[in-house]
């Protein structure tokens, strides 16, 4: 290695500010006051949104009231519905983690702290807008009325599981609710959403597409492809990028978050961008509605960075205490989305502690009832809830000869390996 | 018709029949494709049905999956099969598994057209035959035509199929059949009987092989360019070979293969792709498992070597008349 007179180069490897045990100080995190951000017209030029990519759209202030031009002006009934859906999502998450610990399923992922990004987005979109979620938007399914019991059936991979026990828990599919099948491969849904939106435009439809991914996944090539195609064809799509600061153990710096905001990436593609307080349900609703209206008006795609915090572990297989300070969550300056909306409703005189307690009890009972109903269809357990032939179905529309042969072998093995369950000869009855 | 004209005609027929059919890819729109496969289609069907895309195979395939979910029937083109790899995640993880993972709620009724194969001095990145990467993927169908007639009929069948299909077009055959004798003048399709292509709609069903040449002494399993090469070698050597053009690798026509090998007792597998882990290994295993008692000699595989596709040494690499001829001789002597 020759150096000459030149300085030695050095590699920068990002390091998160607060490792386990560290004191947390979020003073450096710029959180602008609510209501200070301008709201351009939905059909504005993409370039006009660029200041908003570096700012942060906020509606709910420290006084728990709505401020500024982004206040969506929702009535109390709608806000209460939003609060309830978020509370239901949180109750569902809590119950499912318990079910995983009890061995009723293999795996679960909570969305604690991010309920607003899914629920308020669902409420801001039209019901038949197609959504391409990642794995942390359970609030979307709940807000669109996908039955809780169907979700639990899928998580338990039981005999009522619509996906026939093929998919890892939480990888739902809900075509009837206009929600696309969830894939384990990160970011693949982004170009797919663009394609769906392009198809809608090709057919002269009025429906738009919306996609979700995390800030970590935005490093995938699919993110770049999606934004390029969306820009090139002016596709009617709303991109949601949930920046919850963590991709498993990697902080957002490993996705490029140290240098600029994730919303600022919109600038380079020539599409509209918004960076919003993701724990402010009113800001989420307003921003998504803005972007949806923009797409519907053929004014083009929008990238929305939902700035939030992953309050819990990545999944039931993860222990965040191993890589980040526990104080981060409690001191997160943007608070908790459910708590903030509750306080707002109380501040405007539409809510009180008694109603909150009653609602909490109701959503908990609703979840318990769904879990009970799903448990009657079986839990993961031995896993043999579905006839073995179903393992071979839907690989193709019809079974080619090699799958017919392999299906016969599997059914034969059922008799050899599990003779006590062979009496039904794999004719389709679940157990 | 040449194979290019037949492919163009198939796209034309399907676009006229079904307004859900969308053609897209790099340079396929105004320009009509670098091989002219989509010439005239944009003018005829408009820019929202035939259009150019950014240079992003991941984007092209990913967008096609989304279009399929909407209800369209996209026919994306990947300019060379050598460049399909950036789209592999979308093909393997998404298109191939969408029906399965959603239990039929969503499907990917798309046909990815892509020129493949060597013999054109394409060097490392314009000659590859990556079919084995796709035949290994549950949920994908893999098709390789070898004549203009089949190219049109198979492409129509692929577009109409509700499963994702990878449609490999042997670019060495675009303008004429190739018999492996690179030093002889090129033959145009016009003088070949399989260049008679009916007008309008017809289908060559997926999963059905074609017996190109009936014979009793040895069975040849081939597809794409190698069908013509193997047949020529058999004829010049005077070998009574039964040459089978597989046409579809998945689903495979095992019935035709078994019947032929059980009759001849000998089997030669020929493909351009590299040997190790190539589709020939699967064919060899199937024949061994299913025709073991009929076999009179070890199954022979004539393939490309296990190297990247070279430029100047193309005709040393290509599994041509000498390599095939020696394999025939071994089989006949056995």
């Amino acid at each position: 290695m020759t150096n000459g007179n030149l300085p030695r180069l050095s590699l920068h490897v990002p390091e998160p500010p607060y490792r386990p045990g560290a004191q947390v100080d979020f003073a450096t995190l710029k959180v602008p006051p609510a209501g200070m951000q301008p709201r351009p017209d939905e059909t504005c030029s993409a370039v006009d949104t660029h200041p908003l990519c570096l700012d942060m759209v906020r509606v709910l202030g420290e006084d728990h009231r709505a401020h500024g031009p982004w206040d969506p002006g929702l009535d109390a009934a709608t806000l209460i519905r939003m609060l309830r859906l978020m509370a239901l999502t949180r109750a569902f998450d809590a119950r499912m983690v318990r079910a995983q610990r009890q061995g009723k399923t293999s795996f679960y992922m909570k969305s604690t702290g991010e309920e607003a990004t899914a629920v308020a987005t669902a409420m801001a979109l039209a019901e038949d807008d197609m959504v391409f979620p990642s794995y942390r938007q359970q609030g979307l399914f709940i807000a669109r009325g996908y039955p809780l019991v169907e979700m639990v059936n899928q998580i338990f991979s039981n005999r009522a599981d619509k996906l026939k026990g093929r998919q890892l828990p939480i990888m739902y599919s809900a075509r009837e609710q206009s929600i696309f099948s969830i894939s384990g491969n990160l970011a693949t849904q982004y170009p797919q959403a663009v394609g769906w939106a392009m198809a809608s435009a090709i057919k002269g439809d009025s429906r738009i597409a919306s996609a979700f991914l995390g800030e970590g996944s935005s490093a995938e090539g699919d993110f770049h492809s999606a934004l390029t195609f969306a820009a090139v064809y002016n596709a009617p799509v709303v991109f949601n990028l949930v920046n919850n600061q963590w991709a498993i153990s990697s902080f957002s710096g490993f996705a490029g978050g140290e240098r600029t905001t994730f919303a600022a990436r919109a600038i380079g593609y020539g599409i509209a961008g918004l960076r919003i307080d993701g724990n402010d349900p009113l800001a989420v609703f307003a921003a998504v509605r803005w972007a949806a209206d923009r797409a519907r008006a053929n004014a083009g795609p929008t990238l929305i960075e939902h700035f939030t915090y992953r309050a819990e572990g990545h999944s039931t297989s993860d222990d965040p205490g191993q890589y980040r300070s526990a104080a981060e969550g409690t001191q997160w300056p943007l608070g908790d989305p459910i708590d903030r909306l509750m306080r707002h409703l109380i501040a405007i005189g539409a809510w009180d502690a008694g109603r909150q307690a009653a609602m909490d009890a109701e959503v908990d009972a609703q979840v318990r009832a769904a879990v009970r109903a799903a448990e009657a269809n079986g839990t993961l357990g031995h896993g043999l809830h579905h006839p073995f032939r179903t393992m071979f179905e839907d690989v193709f529309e019809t079974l080619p000869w090699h799958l017919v042969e392999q299906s016969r072998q599997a059914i034969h093995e059922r008799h050899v390996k599990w003779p006590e369950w062979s009496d039904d000869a794999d004719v389709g009855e679940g157990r | 018709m040449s194979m290019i004209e037949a492919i163009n005609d198939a796209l034309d027929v399907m676009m006229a029949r079904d307004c859900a059919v969308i053609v897209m890819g790099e340079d396929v729109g105004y320009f009509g494709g670098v091989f002219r496969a989509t010439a005239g289609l944009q003018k005829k069907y408009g820019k929202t049905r035939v259009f150019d895309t950014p240079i992003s195979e991941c984007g092209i395939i990913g967008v096609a999956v989304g279009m399929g979910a909407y209800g369209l029937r996209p026919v994306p083109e990947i300019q060379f099969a050598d460049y399909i790899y950036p789209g592999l995640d979308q093909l393997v993880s998404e298109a191939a598994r969408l029906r399965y993972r959603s239990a039929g709620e969503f499907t990917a009724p798309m046909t990815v057209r892509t020129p493949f194969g060597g013999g054109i001095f394409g060097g490392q990145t314009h000659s590859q035959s990556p079919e084995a990467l796709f035949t290994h993927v549950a949920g994908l169908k893999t098709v390789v035509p070898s004549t203009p007639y089949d190219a049109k009929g198979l492409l129509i069948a692929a577009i109409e199929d509700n499963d994702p299909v990878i449609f490999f077009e042997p670019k060495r055959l675009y303008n004429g059949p190739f018999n492996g004798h690179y030093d002889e003048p090129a033959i145009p399709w016009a003088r070949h009987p399989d260049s008679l292509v009916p007008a309008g709609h017809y289908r060559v069903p997926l999963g059905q092989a074609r017996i190109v040449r009936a014979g009793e002494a040895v069975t040849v399993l081939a597809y794409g360019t190698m069908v013509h090469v193997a047949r020529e070698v058999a004829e010049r050597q005077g070998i009574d070979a039964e040459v089978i053009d597989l046409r579809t690798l998945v689903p495979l026509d095992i019935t035709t293969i078994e019947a032929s090998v059980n009759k001849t007792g000998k089997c030669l597998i020929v493909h351009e792709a590299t040997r190790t882990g190539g589709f020939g290994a699967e064919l060899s295993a199937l024949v061994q498992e299913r025709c073991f008692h009929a076999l009179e000699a070890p199954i022979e595989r004539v393939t490309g070597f296990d190297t990247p596709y070279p430029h100047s040494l193309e005709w040393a690499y290509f599994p041509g008349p000498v390599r095939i001829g020696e394999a025939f001789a071994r089989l006949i002597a056995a």
Side-chain angles (χ1 to χ4, degrees), chain B residues 80-94:
Chain B
F80 290 87
D82 315 65
Y83 301 132
I84 204 165
Y85 310 123
L88 217 56
D89 188 33
Q90 285 285 349
L91 278 170
V92 174
S93 310
E94 302 294 320

Side-chain angles (χ1 to χ4, degrees), chain B residues 215-219 239-242 264-266 296 331-332:
Chain B
E216 302 291 330
V218 54
T219 297
I239 290 163
D240 187 19
E242 180 147 289
T264 63
K266 294 176 180 178
E296 297 161 15
L331 281 164
I332 295 303

Side-chain angles (χ1 to χ4, degrees), chain A residues 130 162 166-167 173-175 181 183 185 188 192 195-196 205 222 225 233 391 393-394 396-397 401 405, chain B residues 52-53 56 58 62-63 66-67 70 72 89-90 93-94 99-101 103 105-106 139 162-163 252 290:
Chain A
M130 189 73 185
K162 215 175 65 176
R166 292 173 186 162
Q167 268 279 45
S173 180
R175 190 185 175 99
S181 149
S183 169
N185 295 64
T188 50
Q192 292 164 2
W196 196 97
D205 199 342
D222 297 67
S225 298
Y233 302 106
M391 179 160 56
E393 289 166 354
D394 297 324
F396 298 102
E397 189 174 34
W401 63 268
E405 287 187 357
Chain B
D52 294 314
T53 63
S56 166
C58 153
V63 155
M67 288 178 168
Y70 180 92
L72 298 186
D89 188 33
Q90 285 285 349
S93 310
E94 302 294 320
R99 180 192 295 278
Y100 192 74
R101 77 169 196 237
E105 276 199 344
F106 297 96
N162 290 324
D163 292 313
L252 185 68
R290 303 170 90 93

Side-chain angles (χ1 to χ4, degrees), chain A residues 130 132 146 162-164 166-167 171 173-176 178-205 207 221-222 225-226 228-229 232-233 390-398 400-402 405, chain B residues 19-20 22 24 48-49 51-72 89-90 93-107 137-141 161-164 250-255 258 286 290:
Chain A
M130 189 73 185
F132 292 73
Y146 189 61
K162 215 175 65 176
L163 305 183
K164 305 178 186 180
R166 292 173 186 162
Q167 268 279 45
M171 305 280 182
S173 180
R175 190 185 175 99
E176 210 178 304
S178 297
I179 308 176
F180 191 67
S181 149
I182 296 173
S183 169
N185 295 64
L186 298 178
T188 50
Q189 69 277 12
Y190 247 49
Q192 292 164 2
V194 176
W196 196 97
M198 288 170 68
S200 186
I202 287 168
K203 300 307 274 183
D205 199 342
R207 291 176 292 166
D222 297 67
S225 298
T228 301
F229 275 69
V232 166
Y233 302 106
T390 64
M391 179 160 56
F392 302 90
E393 289 166 354
D394 297 324
V395 176
F396 298 102
E397 189 174 34
T398 56
W401 63 268
H402 64 284
E405 287 187 357
Chain B
C19 63
I22 300 293
M24 60 172 174
T48 61
R49 292 196 57 203
F51 51 87
D52 294 314
T53 63
I55 302 175
S56 166
E57 289 75 17
C58 153
I60 292 168
I61 308 282
V63 155
V65 172
M67 288 178 168
Y70 180 92
L72 298 186
D89 188 33
Q90 285 285 349
S93 310
E94 302 294 320
R97 300 216 289 251
L98 189 53
R99 180 192 295 278
Y100 192 74
R101 77 169 196 237
S102 70
E105 276 199 344
F106 297 96
T107 59
V137 177
L140 292 181
K141 291 181 176 172
D161 196 281
N162 290 324
D163 292 313
V250 177
L252 185 68
D253 184 353
I254 194 71
T255 313
E258 279 183 49
L286 285 169
R290 303 170 90 93

